[in-house]
Amino acid sequence: MTVSSAPLIKRLLLAAASLSVVLAAALVAALSSGSGGDGILRSLSVVTGQGAPDPALETIVWRIRLPRALLAALAGGALSLGGLVFQALLRNPLAEPYILGIAGGSAIGAIIGILLGLSHFPGVSLCAFLGSLATLVLIVAMSTGQSLVKKDALLLSGVMVNAFCAAVIMFLVSMTQDARLHNIIFWLMGDLSSADGRAVATLAAILAPCFGGIFLFSHAMNLLLMGNDMARSMGLHLRSVTAALLVVTSLMVSAVVSYSGLIGFVGLVIPHLLRFVWGPDHRVLVPACILGGGAYLTACDILARSLPDQGEMPAGVITALIGAPLFIFLLKKTRR
Amino acid sequence: MQNRLFNILKIAAIAAGLALLAGSPADAKFVTDQAGRRVEIPDRPQRVVSLAPSITEIVFALGREQILKGVTSYSDFPPEASGLPRVGSYVRLDLERIIELRPDLCIAVKDGNPKAAVDRLQALGVPVYALDPRSVPTVIQAILEMGAMLNAEDRAERLVREMRSRIDRVTAKLVGTGHRPRVFFQIGDAPIVSVGTNTFAHELIGLAGGHNVAAGSAAYPRFNREQVLALAPDVIVISSMDRAGSIERTRQEWGRWPSVPAVRSGRIHLVDSDIFDRPSPRLVEGLEQLAGFIHPEIFGGFK
């Protein structure tokens, strides 16, 4: 063990341990709160396995809330990791899958899949992946051009890609006249209510290798942040690393979008918060983002479920209410 | 000693009897619902959750509201339904609340409730029977099926007989009327939305001796003002989708277009959308209203 790696491992373990606790707390809170199950304490007794057995409440906690909490945790982890990767690759603190339009691209793909009547997996997920790849190519093509190296230009192009995606989505929605419409609109705003055991298992199976793969590239991301020349001189094969990271990240984001719709700004809030606490080293930040992002979206979904008296609101509403002001704040700060 | 043994036996017999009685609601049978699903439903359901306002109306019409334990939002008819626990709206069911009510039967509508939610409930161990009412005859069929399911066969028979006789009264008076006034049934204001062939309102317009000018394959076709002017309807019926009262404004809006026959002759009518879009016994009421609007010369005193 070299001298410099000792604090890193310590930091890594500390971050992983403390954020695991936060995530576990968020999951327990998610299991204990909801529209049914009269009260947090009664639900908690089911979670902890105490109290008189109550089959209805057990069904609510384990078969309705648990899949939903896990889906929120997986989606939150993937989205904030996506933000972290884009911020490193594009060397732009404001990059985020939603802001860049990647999520919008996968939404178009997913809606086309839904309208074609494809099954959720693999049909709709594959369409979402193709949609996100298409927008990704567009963004990379624009951001590698000479005139678009500036931060604002990249964001502007993201805004335009997003506007275009929104128009295509509205076009597709306007062309449809059936019961699916209502669900599509709700899904578009980021909806986790469709979660069931199979969705969670499928998403976990897609995301786990992506998480692992990105962690392997975490040192490369550190080098990328030092600039292309520096990274190259450190022996990094820039092209292949960038390409691999982009494909893996868009696979991750599109998988999440196809299950939970458009949930924005998670990839902005969490990486910034975690960088503030744990420093800029991606070897710590990658696992921290997975755990912290999971806890964050789980918490946002609790709010989305419990704030309205009747029914619920999409989780994307909460993340945008928190994330958009932060985005403006960061934009002002980076300008200074 | 003998006496005590006898007592114990007596208690055991009563307990066994009670167990049998308590067990009887759990007796179940396999049926195929109107969506073609094989479902196991109890012989004598005791805790029913209605997944649509129309189902709620039918349960009340069958006099079985005492076993109704939960309803969706907008279940506002009859007024007593408003007091029952809510389980989300029919397109966004709140599964937690449904499970919490421990239903032994949920009744769904095939085209209203999302299939995913119905499958989910079934997977969670709640039997869901889906109805598929698409026309007046299938609504009647659905009422009979619900009567059988909820042990209210006689009441269902009676209800259906009354509905049929009211329908026959309208159609009998229309025999020999060749004239079919052109009807524009407006369910939305901005954009203007009407009803296509595959709707209850279209069917009722036909039964009431009118011609739906928006007939066509789109269920809820959109129109602009110009297209409606070109259709030249004799009667405009505006149904209140939103309950905010903008419906009166919609009527006044038409006043600016006197080239439309319906406007010229003042034949613009406002109706409650619930009796035209819910597959419930009240559709017959809708038919009678429409008949009065479309053929006032025949049904002058109907209303």
Side-chain angles (χ1 to χ4, degrees):
Chain A
M1 192 187 287
T2 62
V3 185
S4 64
S5 70
L8 167 72
I9 287 180
K10 208 173 145 192
R11 243 188 359 233
L12 177 62
L13 289 179
L14 203 60
S18 57
L19 288 168
S20 296
V21 171
V22 174
L23 176 60
L27 287 175
V28 170
L31 291 182
S32 320
S33 54
S35 55
D38 38 64
I40 289 176
L41 286 179
R42 285 272 291 129
S43 310
L44 255 183
S45 72
V46 169
V47 177
T48 55
Q50 287 159 349
D54 179 348
L57 193 54
E58 274 167 33
T59 305
I60 290 174
V61 169
W62 299 124
R63 296 182 63 188
I64 295 180
R65 290 183 192 163
L66 181 65
R68 182 167 180 160
L70 291 178
L71 188 73
L74 283 170
L79 290 175
S80 65
L81 188 57
L84 184 75
V85 172
F86 280 123
Q87 284 150 27
L89 279 180
L90 302 170
R91 257 167 268 137
N92 187 326
L94 296 171
E96 201 260 331
Y98 183 76
I99 295 164
L100 289 175
I102 309 260
S106 19
I108 293 178
I111 288 179
I112 291 174
I114 292 171
L115 292 182
L116 288 176
L118 299 179
S119 65
H120 201 109
F121 185 85
V124 172
S125 305
L126 193 68
C127 289
F129 180 52
L130 294 177
S132 78
L133 274 188
T135 35
L136 190 68
V137 168
L138 197 66
I139 290 164
V140 171
M142 284 193 292
S143 61
T144 47
Q146 279 299 314
S147 61
L148 281 169
V149 282
K150 282 187 194 154
K151 279 182 182 129
D152 297 1
L154 180 68
L155 289 179
L156 273 180
S157 69
V159 168
M160 282 306 111
V161 170
N162 251 334
F164 181 73
C165 289
V168 172
I169 289 168
M170 274 318 287
F171 177 81
L172 291 172
V173 168
S174 312
M175 298 292 282
T176 2
Q177 288 210 345
D178 61 23
R180 288 173 294 186
L181 201 69
H182 191 92
N183 282 328
I184 289 178
I185 290 171
F186 227 85
W187 171 83
L188 268 180
M189 298 190 65
D191 179 25
L192 294 157
S193 67
S194 67
D196 60 12
R198 190 193 291 182
V200 172
T202 314
L203 191 61
I206 300 172
L207 293 185
C210 297
F211 288 168
I214 291 173
F215 184 64
L216 292 180
F217 280 113
S218 53
H219 186 58
M221 283 194 273
N222 284 344
L223 299 179
L224 275 173
L225 274 187
M226 297 180 208
N228 284 353
D229 296 337
M230 190 70 169
R232 216 175 273 122
S233 72
M234 299 286 281
L236 198 64
H237 198 293
L238 215 54
R239 266 220 160 141
S240 51
V241 167
T242 310
L245 275 174
L246 283 176
V247 171
V248 170
T249 309
S250 66
L251 172 66
M252 204 166 65
V253 171
S254 60
V256 169
V257 167
S258 71
Y259 278 101
S260 64
L262 290 179
I263 297 178
F265 301 102
V266 177
L268 189 78
V269 173
I270 295 305
H272 278 279
L273 192 70
L274 292 174
R275 240 181 246 117
F276 183 71
V277 179
W278 300 102
D281 193 327
H282 283 80
R283 287 168 293 185
V284 178
L285 283 176
V286 169
C289 271
I290 296 168
L291 296 167
Y296 174 70
L297 189 55
T298 308
C300 285
D301 189 47
I302 296 175
L303 286 179
R305 276 188 294 154
S306 52
L307 280 183
D309 203 29
Q310 269 290 316
E312 53 186 50
M313 62 173 77
V317 172
I318 304 282
T319 60
L321 282 177
I322 299 173
L326 184 80
F327 175 83
I328 294 166
F329 171 76
L330 288 173
L331 189 66
K332 269 195 80 111
K333 216 177 88 176
T334 52
R335 278 252 175 89
R336 256 182 230 148
Chain B
M1 186 66 199
Q2 194 109 35
N3 216 347
R4 207 169 140 200
L5 192 70
F6 180 71
N7 270 343
I8 292 176
L9 275 178
K10 207 162 73 180
I11 291 169
I14 292 170
L18 279 177
L20 266 179
L21 265 182
S24 60
D27 286 345
K29 54 178 178 280
F30 272 100
V31 291
T32 303
D33 71 6
Q34 292 190 347
R37 300 157 60 250
R38 284 286 284 171
V39 279
E40 192 179 12
I41 63 168
D43 277 337
R44 300 196 154 269
Q46 299 299 317
R47 304 188 59 84
V48 174
V49 170
S50 147
L51 302 186
S54 58
I55 306 277
T56 307
E57 291 196 21
I58 296 175
V59 174
F60 272 90
L62 294 175
R64 295 295 277 147
E65 60 271 21
Q66 70 275 19
I67 59 167
L68 190 60
K69 301 303 172 192
V71 298
T72 50
S73 43
Y74 307 116
S75 280
D76 49 7
F77 188 90
E80 299 91 287
S82 311
L84 287 164
R86 306 273 136 162
V87 296
S89 74
Y90 76 107
V91 279
R92 294 201 54 86
L93 298 168
D94 189 333
L95 297 185
E96 281 195 21
R97 291 235 169 109
I98 296 175
I99 298 288
E100 200 188 6
L101 293 169
R102 297 170 181 78
D104 53 9
L105 178 64
C106 285
I107 307 177
V109 179
K110 187 189 167 210
D111 264 0
N113 301 121
K115 190 174 178 304
V118 169
D119 290 345
R120 197 74 199 293
L121 273 176
Q122 196 77 45
L124 293 170
V126 179
V128 186
Y129 189 95
L131 296 167
D132 188 19
R134 300 175 164 276
S135 59
V136 173
T138 53
V139 170
I140 285 175
Q141 181 58 33
I143 291 171
L144 290 172
E145 278 191 32
M146 275 184 63
M149 238 186 317
L150 304 180
N151 314 107
E153 287 93 343
D154 295 349
R155 192 81 180 251
E157 288 285 351
R158 229 181 315 141
L159 179 62
V160 162
R161 219 177 305 129
E162 190 209 321
M163 287 172 69
R164 285 198 174 121
S165 80
R166 281 168 74 179
I167 296 169
D168 290 345
R169 242 167 69 209
V170 171
T171 47
K173 284 194 182 179
L174 287 168
V175 173
T177 329
H179 173 54
R180 285 191 163 265
R182 298 165 64 79
V183 180
F184 186 74
F185 194 97
Q186 186 180 353
I187 61 170
D189 178 30
I192 296 171
V193 181
S194 186
V195 291
T197 304
N198 201 10
T199 59
F200 293 112
H202 171 88
E203 189 188 9
L204 296 181
I205 291 169
L207 282 174
H211 167 71
N212 176 16
V213 291
S217 58
Y220 301 104
R222 283 182 288 247
F223 288 86
N224 58 34
R225 192 75 62 184
E226 189 182 323
Q227 288 166 321
V228 184
L229 297 191
L231 287 170
D234 300 310
V235 182
I236 294 176
V237 180
I238 305 167
S239 109
S240 58
M241 278 292 269
D242 65 292
R243 290 146 175 89
S246 67
I247 181 168
E248 185 56 44
R249 212 166 45 240
T250 309
R251 190 218 302 256
Q252 284 162 6
E253 182 71 23
W254 282 113
R256 291 168 45 208
W257 311 96
S259 69
V260 177
V263 177
R264 220 168 25 234
S265 53
R267 293 174 74 182
I268 302 179
H269 304 277
L270 310 181
V271 294
D272 177 358
S273 66
D274 290 347
I275 63 174
F276 291 93
D277 60 18
R278 289 186 187 174
S280 80
R282 287 199 289 165
L283 282 177
V284 176
E285 214 174 292
L287 171 64
E288 290 167 350
Q289 279 190 16
L290 277 181
F293 299 154
I294 298 171
H295 289 287
E297 74 285 1
I298 299 175
F299 298 95
F302 221 139
K303 269 261 155 155

